[in-house]
Amino acid sequence: MLKVAIIGTGNLAQHLFDAFSACPTIDIVQVVGRNTKALGHFKKSAATSTDFKNIPDATIFIIAVSDTAIPAVSKHLTHTNGLVVHTSGSVSMDALSLHHRYGVFYPLQTFTKNRKVAMNSVPFCLEAHDEADLDLLKKLAGKLSEKVYEVSSEQRKVLHLAAVFVNNFTNHLYHIGKEICDEKGLPFEILQPLMQETLDKTEQLTPYDAQTGPARRGDSETIDKHLKQLKNSRYKKVYEVMSESIGKLYGEDTNPQHF
Amino acid sequence: MLKVAIIGTGNLAQHLFDAFSACPTIDIVQVVGRNTKALGHFKKSAATSTDFKNIPDATIFIIAVSDTAIPAVSKHLTHTNGLVVHTSGSVSMDALSLHHRYGVFYPLQTFTKNRKVAMNSVPFCLEAHDEADLDLLKKLAGKLSEKVYEVSSEQRKVLHLAAVFVNNFTNHLYHIGKEICDEKGLPFEILQPLMQETLDKTEQLTPYDAQTGPARRGDSETIDKHLKQLKNSRYKKVYEVMSESIGKLYGEDTNPQHF
């Protein structure tokens, strides 16, 4: 039985809690948070507490709070002999170095309230100060997911940056696509098969080889037409900068007046 | 039986041909193209020809060539009474107005050589000068796909622009994500569940509501860190412009020194 304490009550804490709860070999000893209302989610099947000073002993303490709250929260766990880990993509493991045993338990996924995520395909990025503790984290992550990676703090920082591109920025492109459709009374669903195929292709081709479109082929006539169509100056700028980046990547610097 | 002639031998012509060939109620009377080598793909199950001047009669003539070649190719079809359509996202229907009957048969998807696409989920965007011909195109598209839309030339132009954002530009973001991973020896597959979830979320939430990340929450500290991490000046520019666009969209104009 792995005894786990969860500190934090946000989206990630809830998703981890639900996944742990479904594992018969994991015992959630307590969920700790300031927000009594948020603790409600956990009460049905675990002990909860607002008292950070008296967290019961556990094998692994999982700090699932915002990046800025990690130092304050972790101070309450300096006396334990258990393994203390945070779940952040961008905070170094050394932020926990005042602990006896410490590491990182970072699920590389976007978690949304009231939206189930298939935890068994979430990549868990693990790091620990001690080799045996890394094995312990692998054991824990392996109960939830088939995808377990050893990732250093430096690699994790870079992953977090890559995630901003493929998640946050991609989502914004989806938004722009939807806005363009909305304006002309077209349903956004009309774009979804294309979005899916764009993603699916990357399993067979590299994105480098899969690239198509006016910027890829240096088609400045179409680029011009598109820029004229765009009324929103921010989206025009996005179009220009993305096209410039693609054009330069493929050596198609054919249209200096744009860029 | 619907008699269809295909003019063109590229990716789209091949994908349409394969889909038509699987329909027992569609008869491909001929595939016409200049490129004898490319005609090889079609020879196994249809008549092929390099002679544009003697295309046999058909109910529908599908011009699946590059945008710039449409005027020259369509000239060879001025004497027919059949319905002449092109398959382009960005060319107006009126480019075919010298024909007796004309329209547009535009599948909104990215077609890749040697890669099967589930044609039954491809949105077909249809337009015809005549109401009865629109019905004829709906009948043809309905044999291939469950998703059939009536889309005007103006709407189609806009769709093509939206497709550049959600397909070409998204793919470039995937490329940047991969490059960032490559540099640190991380496998690109580690990002793929996140990419999939980013897409899946748009079926439940609008991309506007699904937006997360440092730019969304006006977290200029993280934005600063990320910009410092990026060495490639083009990707830095992409990061800045995307963050600016997101920030402005949500009224988080917190970081004027960046933008």
PDB file of all heavy atoms in Angstrom, chain B residues 47-81:
ATOM      1  N   ALA B  47     -10.041   4.410 -67.202  1.00  0.00           N
ATOM      2  CA  ALA B  47      -9.404   4.889 -68.428  1.00  0.00           C
ATOM      3  C   ALA B  47      -8.650   6.169 -68.110  1.00  0.00           C
ATOM      4  O   ALA B  47      -9.117   7.001 -67.325  1.00  0.00           O
ATOM      5  CB  ALA B  47     -10.465   5.156 -69.486  1.00  0.00           C
ATOM      6  N   THR B  48      -7.468   6.320 -68.676  1.00  0.00           N
ATOM      7  CA  THR B  48      -6.694   7.545 -68.469  1.00  0.00           C
ATOM      8  C   THR B  48      -6.319   8.123 -69.818  1.00  0.00           C
ATOM      9  O   THR B  48      -6.300   7.408 -70.832  1.00  0.00           O
ATOM     10  CB  THR B  48      -5.408   7.270 -67.666  1.00  0.00           C
ATOM     11  OG1 THR B  48      -4.588   6.384 -68.424  1.00  0.00           O
ATOM     12  CG2 THR B  48      -5.716   6.657 -66.307  1.00  0.00           C
ATOM     13  N   SER B  49      -6.003   9.436 -69.801  1.00  0.00           N
ATOM     14  CA  SER B  49      -5.641  10.079 -71.062  1.00  0.00           C
ATOM     15  C   SER B  49      -4.806  11.326 -70.792  1.00  0.00           C
ATOM     16  O   SER B  49      -4.935  11.968 -69.743  1.00  0.00           O
ATOM     17  CB  SER B  49      -6.915  10.444 -71.828  1.00  0.00           C
ATOM     18  OG  SER B  49      -6.604  11.332 -72.885  1.00  0.00           O
ATOM     19  N   THR B  50      -3.954  11.660 -71.743  1.00  0.00           N
ATOM     20  CA  THR B  50      -3.201  12.909 -71.657  1.00  0.00           C
ATOM     21  C   THR B  50      -3.803  13.965 -72.595  1.00  0.00           C
ATOM     22  O   THR B  50      -3.284  15.074 -72.705  1.00  0.00           O
ATOM     23  CB  THR B  50      -1.719  12.699 -72.047  1.00  0.00           C
ATOM     24  OG1 THR B  50      -1.689  12.126 -73.359  1.00  0.00           O
ATOM     25  CG2 THR B  50      -1.005  11.787 -71.070  1.00  0.00           C
ATOM     26  N   ASP B  51      -4.882  13.603 -73.242  1.00  0.00           N
ATOM     27  CA  ASP B  51      -5.485  14.476 -74.255  1.00  0.00           C
ATOM     28  C   ASP B  51      -6.652  15.277 -73.678  1.00  0.00           C
ATOM     29  O   ASP B  51      -7.756  14.761 -73.503  1.00  0.00           O
ATOM     30  CB  ASP B  51      -5.959  13.586 -75.423  1.00  0.00           C
ATOM     31  CG  ASP B  51      -6.581  14.427 -76.525  1.00  0.00           C
ATOM     32  OD1 ASP B  51      -6.529  15.682 -76.445  1.00  0.00           O
ATOM     33  OD2 ASP B  51      -7.133  13.819 -77.457  1.00  0.00           O
ATOM     34  N   PHE B  52      -6.395  16.553 -73.393  1.00  0.00           N
ATOM     35  CA  PHE B  52      -7.433  17.395 -72.785  1.00  0.00           C
ATOM     36  C   PHE B  52      -8.524  17.788 -73.787  1.00  0.00           C
ATOM     37  O   PHE B  52      -9.577  18.275 -73.412  1.00  0.00           O
ATOM     38  CB  PHE B  52      -6.806  18.678 -72.202  1.00  0.00           C
ATOM     39  CG  PHE B  52      -6.006  18.437 -70.953  1.00  0.00           C
ATOM     40  CD1 PHE B  52      -4.713  17.962 -71.013  1.00  0.00           C
ATOM     41  CD2 PHE B  52      -6.569  18.687 -69.701  1.00  0.00           C
ATOM     42  CE1 PHE B  52      -3.973  17.737 -69.849  1.00  0.00           C
ATOM     43  CE2 PHE B  52      -5.842  18.466 -68.542  1.00  0.00           C
ATOM     44  CZ  PHE B  52      -4.541  17.984 -68.614  1.00  0.00           C
ATOM     45  N   LYS B  53      -8.226  17.580 -75.063  1.00  0.00           N
ATOM     46  CA  LYS B  53      -9.169  18.049 -76.086  1.00  0.00           C
ATOM     47  C   LYS B  53     -10.281  17.058 -76.387  1.00  0.00           C
ATOM     48  O   LYS B  53     -11.262  17.402 -77.027  1.00  0.00           O
ATOM     49  CB  LYS B  53      -8.401  18.390 -77.368  1.00  0.00           C
ATOM     50  CG  LYS B  53      -7.621  19.677 -77.207  1.00  0.00           C
ATOM     51  CD  LYS B  53      -6.841  20.036 -78.447  1.00  0.00           C
ATOM     52  CE  LYS B  53      -5.983  21.264 -78.177  1.00  0.00           C
ATOM     53  NZ  LYS B  53      -4.767  21.275 -79.013  1.00  0.00           N
ATOM     54  N   ASN B  54     -10.103  15.831 -75.936  1.00  0.00           N
ATOM     55  CA  ASN B  54     -11.113  14.823 -76.253  1.00  0.00           C
ATOM     56  C   ASN B  54     -11.585  14.068 -75.007  1.00  0.00           C
ATOM     57  O   ASN B  54     -11.614  12.840 -74.977  1.00  0.00           O
ATOM     58  CB  ASN B  54     -10.547  13.833 -77.277  1.00  0.00           C
ATOM     59  CG  ASN B  54     -10.336  14.497 -78.635  1.00  0.00           C
ATOM     60  OD1 ASN B  54     -11.295  14.908 -79.281  1.00  0.00           O
ATOM     61  ND2 ASN B  54      -9.075  14.632 -79.039  1.00  0.00           N
ATOM     62  N   ILE B  55     -11.953  14.818 -74.010  1.00  0.00           N
ATOM     63  CA  ILE B  55     -12.450  14.189 -72.788  1.00  0.00           C
ATOM     64  C   ILE B  55     -13.857  13.669 -73.062  1.00  0.00           C
ATOM     65  O   ILE B  55     -14.698  14.416 -73.563  1.00  0.00           O
ATOM     66  CB  ILE B  55     -12.458  15.206 -71.620  1.00  0.00           C
ATOM     67  CG1 ILE B  55     -11.042  15.779 -71.430  1.00  0.00           C
ATOM     68  CG2 ILE B  55     -12.981  14.566 -70.336  1.00  0.00           C
ATOM     69  CD1 ILE B  55     -10.953  16.925 -70.440  1.00  0.00           C
ATOM     70  N   PRO B  56     -14.135  12.398 -72.777  1.00  0.00           N
ATOM     71  CA  PRO B  56     -15.473  11.859 -73.065  1.00  0.00           C
ATOM     72  C   PRO B  56     -16.534  12.521 -72.183  1.00  0.00           C
ATOM     73  O   PRO B  56     -16.212  13.095 -71.142  1.00  0.00           O
ATOM     74  CB  PRO B  56     -15.341  10.372 -72.725  1.00  0.00           C
ATOM     75  CG  PRO B  56     -14.173  10.272 -71.820  1.00  0.00           C
ATOM     76  CD  PRO B  56     -13.252  11.401 -72.159  1.00  0.00           C
ATOM     77  N   ASP B  57     -17.763  12.439 -72.596  1.00  0.00           N
ATOM     78  CA  ASP B  57     -18.821  13.131 -71.871  1.00  0.00           C
ATOM     79  C   ASP B  57     -19.039  12.516 -70.484  1.00  0.00           C
ATOM     80  O   ASP B  57     -18.848  11.317 -70.276  1.00  0.00           O
ATOM     81  CB  ASP B  57     -20.121  13.109 -72.679  1.00  0.00           C
ATOM     82  CG  ASP B  57     -20.985  14.321 -72.306  1.00  0.00           C
ATOM     83  OD1 ASP B  57     -20.392  15.380 -71.976  1.00  0.00           O
ATOM     84  OD2 ASP B  57     -22.217  14.208 -72.316  1.00  0.00           O
ATOM     85  N   ALA B  58     -19.424  13.383 -69.550  1.00  0.00           N
ATOM     86  CA  ALA B  58     -19.657  12.937 -68.177  1.00  0.00           C
ATOM     87  C   ALA B  58     -20.752  13.791 -67.565  1.00  0.00           C
ATOM     88  O   ALA B  58     -21.094  14.859 -68.087  1.00  0.00           O
ATOM     89  CB  ALA B  58     -18.375  13.073 -67.356  1.00  0.00           C
ATOM     90  N   THR B  59     -21.323  13.319 -66.455  1.00  0.00           N
ATOM     91  CA  THR B  59     -22.317  14.117 -65.740  1.00  0.00           C
ATOM     92  C   THR B  59     -21.626  15.260 -65.002  1.00  0.00           C
ATOM     93  O   THR B  59     -22.095  16.396 -64.997  1.00  0.00           O
ATOM     94  CB  THR B  59     -23.080  13.230 -64.715  1.00  0.00           C
ATOM     95  OG1 THR B  59     -23.389  11.973 -65.319  1.00  0.00           O
ATOM     96  CG2 THR B  59     -24.340  13.907 -64.236  1.00  0.00           C
ATOM     97  N   ILE B  60     -20.489  14.916 -64.380  1.00  0.00           N
ATOM     98  CA  ILE B  60     -19.730  15.925 -63.634  1.00  0.00           C
ATOM     99  C   ILE B  60     -18.249  15.846 -64.009  1.00  0.00           C
ATOM    100  O   ILE B  60     -17.659  14.758 -64.005  1.00  0.00           O
ATOM    101  CB  ILE B  60     -19.887  15.729 -62.105  1.00  0.00           C
ATOM    102  CG1 ILE B  60     -21.379  15.681 -61.709  1.00  0.00           C
ATOM    103  CG2 ILE B  60     -19.170  16.835 -61.331  1.00  0.00           C
ATOM    104  CD1 ILE B  60     -21.635  15.429 -60.238  1.00  0.00           C
ATOM    105  N   PHE B  61     -17.681  16.991 -64.313  1.00  0.00           N
ATOM    106  CA  PHE B  61     -16.239  17.094 -64.586  1.00  0.00           C
ATOM    107  C   PHE B  61     -15.579  17.738 -63.366  1.00  0.00           C
ATOM    108  O   PHE B  61     -15.918  18.883 -63.025  1.00  0.00           O
ATOM    109  CB  PHE B  61     -15.979  17.961 -65.818  1.00  0.00           C
ATOM    110  CG  PHE B  61     -16.527  17.383 -67.092  1.00  0.00           C
ATOM    111  CD1 PHE B  61     -17.863  17.575 -67.443  1.00  0.00           C
ATOM    112  CD2 PHE B  61     -15.720  16.629 -67.945  1.00  0.00           C
ATOM    113  CE1 PHE B  61     -18.385  17.030 -68.614  1.00  0.00           C
ATOM    114  CE2 PHE B  61     -16.223  16.093 -69.122  1.00  0.00           C
ATOM    115  CZ  PHE B  61     -17.567  16.288 -69.460  1.00  0.00           C
ATOM    116  N   ILE B  62     -14.671  17.023 -62.745  1.00  0.00           N
ATOM    117  CA  ILE B  62     -14.032  17.543 -61.535  1.00  0.00           C
ATOM    118  C   ILE B  62     -12.611  17.988 -61.859  1.00  0.00           C
ATOM    119  O   ILE B  62     -11.751  17.155 -62.178  1.00  0.00           O
ATOM    120  CB  ILE B  62     -14.033  16.483 -60.426  1.00  0.00           C
ATOM    121  CG1 ILE B  62     -15.487  16.120 -60.081  1.00  0.00           C
ATOM    122  CG2 ILE B  62     -13.287  16.993 -59.190  1.00  0.00           C
ATOM    123  CD1 ILE B  62     -15.626  15.097 -58.991  1.00  0.00           C
ATOM    124  N   ILE B  63     -12.393  19.285 -61.775  1.00  0.00           N
ATOM    125  CA  ILE B  63     -11.061  19.824 -62.046  1.00  0.00           C
ATOM    126  C   ILE B  63     -10.274  19.854 -60.741  1.00  0.00           C
ATOM    127  O   ILE B  63     -10.576  20.645 -59.847  1.00  0.00           O
ATOM    128  CB  ILE B  63     -11.164  21.248 -62.641  1.00  0.00           C
ATOM    129  CG1 ILE B  63     -11.977  21.210 -63.949  1.00  0.00           C
ATOM    130  CG2 ILE B  63      -9.779  21.839 -62.874  1.00  0.00           C
ATOM    131  CD1 ILE B  63     -12.216  22.591 -64.551  1.00  0.00           C
ATOM    132  N   ALA B  64      -9.302  18.961 -60.627  1.00  0.00           N
ATOM    133  CA  ALA B  64      -8.503  18.892 -59.405  1.00  0.00           C
ATOM    134  C   ALA B  64      -7.046  19.186 -59.751  1.00  0.00           C
ATOM    135  O   ALA B  64      -6.193  18.297 -59.740  1.00  0.00           O
ATOM    136  CB  ALA B  64      -8.650  17.523 -58.743  1.00  0.00           C
ATOM    137  N   VAL B  65      -6.812  20.441 -60.116  1.00  0.00           N
ATOM    138  CA  VAL B  65      -5.458  20.875 -60.472  1.00  0.00           C
ATOM    139  C   VAL B  65      -5.094  22.067 -59.591  1.00  0.00           C
ATOM    140  O   VAL B  65      -5.933  22.546 -58.824  1.00  0.00           O
ATOM    141  CB  VAL B  65      -5.381  21.278 -61.969  1.00  0.00           C
ATOM    142  CG1 VAL B  65      -5.741  20.097 -62.879  1.00  0.00           C
ATOM    143  CG2 VAL B  65      -6.298  22.468 -62.274  1.00  0.00           C
ATOM    144  N   SER B  66      -3.861  22.569 -59.700  1.00  0.00           N
ATOM    145  CA  SER B  66      -3.465  23.719 -58.893  1.00  0.00           C
ATOM    146  C   SER B  66      -4.283  24.945 -59.305  1.00  0.00           C
ATOM    147  O   SER B  66      -4.753  25.038 -60.449  1.00  0.00           O
ATOM    148  CB  SER B  66      -1.981  23.990 -59.058  1.00  0.00           C
ATOM    149  OG  SER B  66      -1.721  24.382 -60.386  1.00  0.00           O
ATOM    150  N   ASP B  67      -4.457  25.875 -58.374  1.00  0.00           N
ATOM    151  CA  ASP B  67      -5.293  27.058 -58.614  1.00  0.00           C
ATOM    152  C   ASP B  67      -4.952  27.755 -59.933  1.00  0.00           C
ATOM    153  O   ASP B  67      -5.836  28.127 -60.706  1.00  0.00           O
ATOM    154  CB  ASP B  67      -5.119  28.063 -57.465  1.00  0.00           C
ATOM    155  CG  ASP B  67      -5.772  27.567 -56.182  1.00  0.00           C
ATOM    156  OD1 ASP B  67      -6.313  26.436 -56.175  1.00  0.00           O
ATOM    157  OD2 ASP B  67      -5.725  28.304 -55.182  1.00  0.00           O
ATOM    158  N   THR B  68      -3.677  27.915 -60.162  1.00  0.00           N
ATOM    159  CA  THR B  68      -3.253  28.687 -61.331  1.00  0.00           C
ATOM    160  C   THR B  68      -3.545  27.972 -62.644  1.00  0.00           C
ATOM    161  O   THR B  68      -3.646  28.610 -63.692  1.00  0.00           O
ATOM    162  CB  THR B  68      -1.737  28.987 -61.265  1.00  0.00           C
ATOM    163  OG1 THR B  68      -1.057  27.751 -60.951  1.00  0.00           O
ATOM    164  CG2 THR B  68      -1.420  30.011 -60.193  1.00  0.00           C
ATOM    165  N   ALA B  69      -3.685  26.651 -62.593  1.00  0.00           N
ATOM    166  CA  ALA B  69      -3.934  25.896 -63.825  1.00  0.00           C
ATOM    167  C   ALA B  69      -5.415  25.798 -64.166  1.00  0.00           C
ATOM    168  O   ALA B  69      -5.776  25.351 -65.269  1.00  0.00           O
ATOM    169  CB  ALA B  69      -3.329  24.498 -63.715  1.00  0.00           C
ATOM    170  N   ILE B  70      -6.282  26.218 -63.252  1.00  0.00           N
ATOM    171  CA  ILE B  70      -7.735  26.056 -63.470  1.00  0.00           C
ATOM    172  C   ILE B  70      -8.225  26.734 -64.764  1.00  0.00           C
ATOM    173  O   ILE B  70      -8.908  26.091 -65.579  1.00  0.00           O
ATOM    174  CB  ILE B  70      -8.549  26.546 -62.239  1.00  0.00           C
ATOM    175  CG1 ILE B  70      -8.309  25.592 -61.057  1.00  0.00           C
ATOM    176  CG2 ILE B  70     -10.047  26.620 -62.551  1.00  0.00           C
ATOM    177  CD1 ILE B  70      -8.919  26.055 -59.733  1.00  0.00           C
ATOM    178  N   PRO B  71      -7.852  28.012 -65.035  1.00  0.00           N
ATOM    179  CA  PRO B  71      -8.358  28.655 -66.254  1.00  0.00           C
ATOM    180  C   PRO B  71      -7.974  27.895 -67.527  1.00  0.00           C
ATOM    181  O   PRO B  71      -8.828  27.629 -68.379  1.00  0.00           O
ATOM    182  CB  PRO B  71      -7.694  30.045 -66.229  1.00  0.00           C
ATOM    183  CG  PRO B  71      -7.337  30.278 -64.794  1.00  0.00           C
ATOM    184  CD  PRO B  71      -7.036  28.937 -64.222  1.00  0.00           C
ATOM    185  N   ALA B  72      -6.717  27.502 -67.638  1.00  0.00           N
ATOM    186  CA  ALA B  72      -6.247  26.817 -68.843  1.00  0.00           C
ATOM    187  C   ALA B  72      -6.955  25.476 -69.024  1.00  0.00           C
ATOM    188  O   ALA B  72      -7.390  25.125 -70.137  1.00  0.00           O
ATOM    189  CB  ALA B  72      -4.729  26.604 -68.755  1.00  0.00           C
ATOM    190  N   VAL B  73      -7.087  24.733 -67.937  1.00  0.00           N
ATOM    191  CA  VAL B  73      -7.705  23.407 -68.019  1.00  0.00           C
ATOM    192  C   VAL B  73      -9.192  23.516 -68.363  1.00  0.00           C
ATOM    193  O   VAL B  73      -9.721  22.761 -69.191  1.00  0.00           O
ATOM    194  CB  VAL B  73      -7.502  22.647 -66.682  1.00  0.00           C
ATOM    195  CG1 VAL B  73      -8.455  21.468 -66.581  1.00  0.00           C
ATOM    196  CG2 VAL B  73      -6.051  22.176 -66.570  1.00  0.00           C
ATOM    197  N   SER B  74      -9.854  24.485 -67.730  1.00  0.00           N
ATOM    198  CA  SER B  74     -11.308  24.562 -67.905  1.00  0.00           C
ATOM    199  C   SER B  74     -11.688  24.946 -69.332  1.00  0.00           C
ATOM    200  O   SER B  74     -12.781  24.631 -69.789  1.00  0.00           O
ATOM    201  CB  SER B  74     -11.924  25.527 -66.895  1.00  0.00           C
ATOM    202  OG  SER B  74     -11.597  26.854 -67.203  1.00  0.00           O
ATOM    203  N   LYS B  75     -10.788  25.611 -70.033  1.00  0.00           N
ATOM    204  CA  LYS B  75     -11.053  25.983 -71.435  1.00  0.00           C
ATOM    205  C   LYS B  75     -11.370  24.777 -72.315  1.00  0.00           C
ATOM    206  O   LYS B  75     -12.094  24.897 -73.297  1.00  0.00           O
ATOM    207  CB  LYS B  75      -9.853  26.726 -72.014  1.00  0.00           C
ATOM    208  CG  LYS B  75      -9.973  28.230 -71.829  1.00  0.00           C
ATOM    209  CD  LYS B  75      -8.820  28.967 -72.475  1.00  0.00           C
ATOM    210  CE  LYS B  75      -8.693  30.352 -71.836  1.00  0.00           C
ATOM    211  NZ  LYS B  75      -7.291  30.731 -71.643  1.00  0.00           N
ATOM    212  N   HIS B  76     -10.815  23.640 -71.954  1.00  0.00           N
ATOM    213  CA  HIS B  76     -11.056  22.433 -72.746  1.00  0.00           C
ATOM    214  C   HIS B  76     -12.450  21.852 -72.509  1.00  0.00           C
ATOM    215  O   HIS B  76     -12.823  20.870 -73.139  1.00  0.00           O
ATOM    216  CB  HIS B  76     -10.013  21.364 -72.401  1.00  0.00           C
ATOM    217  CG  HIS B  76      -8.614  21.787 -72.731  1.00  0.00           C
ATOM    218  ND1 HIS B  76      -8.192  22.031 -74.019  1.00  0.00           N
ATOM    219  CD2 HIS B  76      -7.540  22.040 -71.939  1.00  0.00           C
ATOM    220  CE1 HIS B  76      -6.921  22.406 -74.006  1.00  0.00           C
ATOM    221  NE2 HIS B  76      -6.500  22.420 -72.745  1.00  0.00           N
ATOM    222  N   LEU B  77     -13.196  22.458 -71.582  1.00  0.00           N
ATOM    223  CA  LEU B  77     -14.500  21.868 -71.219  1.00  0.00           C
ATOM    224  C   LEU B  77     -15.675  22.794 -71.543  1.00  0.00           C
ATOM    225  O   LEU B  77     -16.768  22.610 -71.042  1.00  0.00           O
ATOM    226  CB  LEU B  77     -14.503  21.523 -69.724  1.00  0.00           C
ATOM    227  CG  LEU B  77     -13.512  20.439 -69.292  1.00  0.00           C
ATOM    228  CD1 LEU B  77     -13.328  20.442 -67.789  1.00  0.00           C
ATOM    229  CD2 LEU B  77     -13.983  19.061 -69.760  1.00  0.00           C
ATOM    230  N   THR B  78     -15.406  23.785 -72.401  1.00  0.00           N
ATOM    231  CA  THR B  78     -16.459  24.771 -72.680  1.00  0.00           C
ATOM    232  C   THR B  78     -17.605  24.207 -73.512  1.00  0.00           C
ATOM    233  O   THR B  78     -18.690  24.764 -73.529  1.00  0.00           O
ATOM    234  CB  THR B  78     -15.886  26.009 -73.407  1.00  0.00           C
ATOM    235  OG1 THR B  78     -15.010  25.552 -74.433  1.00  0.00           O
ATOM    236  CG2 THR B  78     -15.149  26.913 -72.444  1.00  0.00           C
ATOM    237  N   HIS B  79     -17.380  23.107 -74.216  1.00  0.00           N
ATOM    238  CA  HIS B  79     -18.419  22.610 -75.119  1.00  0.00           C
ATOM    239  C   HIS B  79     -19.358  21.595 -74.467  1.00  0.00           C
ATOM    240  O   HIS B  79     -20.341  21.198 -75.061  1.00  0.00           O
ATOM    241  CB  HIS B  79     -17.782  22.010 -76.377  1.00  0.00           C
ATOM    242  CG  HIS B  79     -16.954  23.019 -77.112  1.00  0.00           C
ATOM    243  ND1 HIS B  79     -17.503  24.167 -77.653  1.00  0.00           N
ATOM    244  CD2 HIS B  79     -15.617  23.089 -77.353  1.00  0.00           C
ATOM    245  CE1 HIS B  79     -16.545  24.886 -78.204  1.00  0.00           C
ATOM    246  NE2 HIS B  79     -15.389  24.257 -78.026  1.00  0.00           N
ATOM    247  N   THR B  80     -19.054  21.213 -73.264  1.00  0.00           N
ATOM    248  CA  THR B  80     -19.880  20.170 -72.650  1.00  0.00           C
ATOM    249  C   THR B  80     -21.147  20.730 -72.023  1.00  0.00           C
ATOM    250  O   THR B  80     -21.212  21.904 -71.647  1.00  0.00           O
ATOM    251  CB  THR B  80     -19.090  19.410 -71.555  1.00  0.00           C
ATOM    252  OG1 THR B  80     -19.952  18.411 -71.005  1.00  0.00           O
ATOM    253  CG2 THR B  80     -18.665  20.335 -70.437  1.00  0.00           C
ATOM    254  N   ASN B  81     -22.111  19.867 -71.908  1.00  0.00           N
ATOM    255  CA  ASN B  81     -23.330  20.204 -71.196  1.00  0.00           C
ATOM    256  C   ASN B  81     -23.287  19.688 -69.751  1.00  0.00           C
ATOM    257  O   ASN B  81     -24.222  19.882 -68.992  1.00  0.00           O
ATOM    258  CB  ASN B  81     -24.541  19.600 -71.911  1.00  0.00           C
ATOM    259  CG  ASN B  81     -25.355  20.698 -72.566  1.00  0.00           C
ATOM    260  OD1 ASN B  81     -25.459  21.795 -72.021  1.00  0.00           O
ATOM    261  ND2 ASN B  81     -25.934  20.405 -73.721  1.00  0.00           N
TER     262      ASN B  81
END
